[in-house]
């Protein structure tokens, strides 16, 4: 039997937080709560921005994509994680693990690039307001989204295939609560220095290149905001960009600390908690961050709630 046939037949065991049984009970409740908040918040943003014609602009087109991405990203992990937290069975099938590995890498890479695209949208809106709708036309926006998803898919296929081809010699214990690259590389039974360096190098490209573009965009935005004479105009620009900048800081800060450290710099429990943070907490906070300072989004959400309440009342009247 081949070296990797064992895991192909028996799957993997996700150790997760199994050495802390009491913590698993607490985490299952916390994760369920945040998962519910994430679904409600991101679904509300998608519906509100789609149904309100005032929000049919490039900014909200990209925000809808981010909300959809967060829904998919979190859903690719949390259901399996909850199954493992609730019961003694910590296994995941080989197909399930491989699927999760590819999807998780694909969606995570997509979010890195999408945040860079959103920063370019804000740069165009503030630095070139008169040409904004001409530059950020629907055709270009769609083209940018397709490019982002395609590049991320290519990166995912390359890195995940490289990792899965490593011999594991029957090792199927993953010291994590999901199937991700570092955990898969650790169970290989050969020297993985070359693969780790490849992952690290591509990580720099997929994480630091978009971050560099974001910082350049916000450098120009800062200059443009300082030139605005009215305080009201400055405040509006700050509110518009502040939400995106907050999301970027939280997401990239965690990712850089987690993945751009060669070797095993972070402790295993610290790594798990950080992964938990950006896979469930950050997507749950994004809708809140984007609506707190955004009057247009607040109004759209109010309309959505009002329409829902009116439809509920009309149904009750029909029954009576």
């Amino acid at each position: 039997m081949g070296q990797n046939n064992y895991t192909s037949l028996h799957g993997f065991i996700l150790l997760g937080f199994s050495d802390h049984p009491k913590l698993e009970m607490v985490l299952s409740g916390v994760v369920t709560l945040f998962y519910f908040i994430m679904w409600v918040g991101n679904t509300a943003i998608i519906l509100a921005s789609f149904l309100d014609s005032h929000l049919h602009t490039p900014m909200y087109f990209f925000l809808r994509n981010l909300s959809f991405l967060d829904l998919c990203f979190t859903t690719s992990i949390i259901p399996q994680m909850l199954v493992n937290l609730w019961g003694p069975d910590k296994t995941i099938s080989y197909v399930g693990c491989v699927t999760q590995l590819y999807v998780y890498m694909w969606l995570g890479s997509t979010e890195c690039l999408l945040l860079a695209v959103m920063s370019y949208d804000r740069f165009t809106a503030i630095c070139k307001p008169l040409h904004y709708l001409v530059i950020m036309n629907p055709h270009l926006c769609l083209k940018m989204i397709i490019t982002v998803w395609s590049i991320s898919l290519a990166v995912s296929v390359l890195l995940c295939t490289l990792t899965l081809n490593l011999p594991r010699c029957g090792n199927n214990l993953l010291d994590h609560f999901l199937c991700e690259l570092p955990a898969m590389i650790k169970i290989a039974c050969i020297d993985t220095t070359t693969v780790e360096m490849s992952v690290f190098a591509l990580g720099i490209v997929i994480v630091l290149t978009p971050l560099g573009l974001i910082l350049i965009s916000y450098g120009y935005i800062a200059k443009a905001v300082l030139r605005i004479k009215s305080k009201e105009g400055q405040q509006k620009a700050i509110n518009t960009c502040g939400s995106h900048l907050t999301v970027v800081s939280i997401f990239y800060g965690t990712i850089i600390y987690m993945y751009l450290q060669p070797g095993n710099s972070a402790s295993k429990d610290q790594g798990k908690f950080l992964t938990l943070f950006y896979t469930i907490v950050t997507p749950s906070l994004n809708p809140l961050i984007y609506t707190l300072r955004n009057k247009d989004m607040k109004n759209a959400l109010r309309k959505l709630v009002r329409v829902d309440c009116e439809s509920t009342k009309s149904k009750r009247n029909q029954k009576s």
Side-chain angles (χ1 to χ4, degrees):
M1 187 178 285
Q3 290 178 329
N4 291 336
N5 284 358
Y6 180 84
T7 48
S8 300
L9 293 170
H10 297 85
F12 295 91
I13 297 171
L14 299 172
L15 296 177
F17 300 95
S18 55
D19 50 344
H20 305 290
K22 290 182 180 178
L23 180 62
E24 280 190 321
M25 293 175 64
V26 175
L27 280 177
S28 63
V30 172
V31 169
T32 303
L33 176 63
F34 272 102
Y35 189 49
F36 174 76
I37 292 169
M38 186 279 303
W39 260 98
V40 171
N42 285 294
T43 303
I45 282 183
I46 292 169
L47 289 174
S49 62
F50 185 76
L51 296 173
D52 193 328
S53 58
H54 294 98
L55 302 184
H56 291 178
T57 63
M59 175 183 170
Y60 293 103
F61 170 73
F62 292 126
L63 183 56
R64 276 198 301 275
N65 272 273
L66 180 65
S67 292
F68 174 72
L69 178 62
D70 281 340
L71 285 171
C72 296
F73 184 57
T74 307
T75 302
S76 70
I77 301 153
I78 299 306
Q80 178 65 48
M81 182 187 177
L82 288 175
V83 169
N84 292 345
L85 285 173
W86 286 336
D89 185 16
K90 309 296 180 186
T91 59
I92 181 172
S93 68
Y94 179 79
V95 173
C97 187
V98 170
T99 303
Q100 189 181 74
L101 181 71
Y102 277 98
V103 172
Y104 178 77
M105 185 66 195
W106 180 24
L107 300 180
S109 302
T110 302
E111 184 144 358
C112 289
L113 298 177
L114 181 57
L115 289 173
V117 168
M118 291 174 77
S119 72
Y120 176 73
D121 171 67
R122 293 299 81 214
F123 158 76
T124 310
I126 292 170
C127 298
K128 300 179 181 179
L130 299 177
H131 303 95
Y132 174 59
L133 292 177
V134 176
I135 296 171
M136 300 302 293
N137 59 76
H139 179 69
L140 178 65
C141 291
L142 184 61
K143 209 171 179 180
M144 291 171 88
I145 286 297
I146 292 171
T147 303
V148 161
W149 283 84
S150 301
I151 291 173
S152 302
L153 179 60
V155 170
S156 174
V157 169
L158 177 63
L159 289 180
C160 295
T161 304
L162 193 66
T163 303
L164 287 171
N165 283 334
L166 292 171
R168 292 181 290 276
C169 305
N171 296 331
N172 70 333
L173 293 175
L174 290 174
D175 193 11
H176 217 305
F177 58 82
L178 77 159
C179 297
E180 66 160 4
L181 284 177
M184 294 291 286
I185 291 171
K186 281 180 185 176
I187 63 171
C189 56
I190 60 166
D191 181 27
T192 58
T193 305
T194 305
V195 176
E196 283 183 33
M197 287 299 104
S198 300
V199 171
F200 182 68
L202 268 173
I204 289 175
V205 173
I206 206 73
V207 175
L208 293 189
T209 302
L211 182 59
L213 294 173
I214 290 169
L215 294 175
I216 291 168
S217 296
Y218 275 101
Y220 282 107
I221 288 170
K223 285 183 181 179
V225 170
L226 291 172
R227 289 196 203 106
I228 298 173
K229 293 179 180 179
S230 68
K231 287 186 178 179
E232 187 180 340
Q234 284 187 341
Q235 191 60 45
K236 187 178 179 181
I238 290 168
N239 287 346
T240 303
C241 298
S243 302
H244 179 254
L245 201 54
T246 304
V247 170
V248 166
S249 301
I250 295 171
F251 182 78
Y252 273 99
T254 313
I255 292 288
I256 289 169
Y257 187 81
M258 269 291 299
Y259 291 109
L260 296 187
Q261 301 182 79
N264 302 319
S265 301
S267 69
K268 63 174 186 177
D269 284 340
Q270 185 186 43
K272 290 174 191 176
F273 281 112
L274 284 170
T275 304
L276 191 63
F277 182 81
Y278 76 78
T279 53
I280 183 65
V281 178
T282 302
S284 304
L285 292 176
N286 285 355
L288 185 64
I289 293 167
Y290 276 107
T291 53
L292 275 177
R293 294 182 175 183
N294 193 317
K295 289 181 181 179
D296 294 333
M297 183 55 73
K298 283 179 183 177
N299 292 333
L301 289 171
R302 286 194 194 102
K303 286 180 186 177
L304 185 65
V305 172
R306 208 177 297 133
V307 168
D308 186 53
C309 290
E310 286 174 1
S311 64
T312 305
K313 283 181 182 178
S314 63
K315 284 178 183 178
R316 286 177 182 174
N317 291 335
Q318 287 173 1
K319 286 180 180 179
S320 59

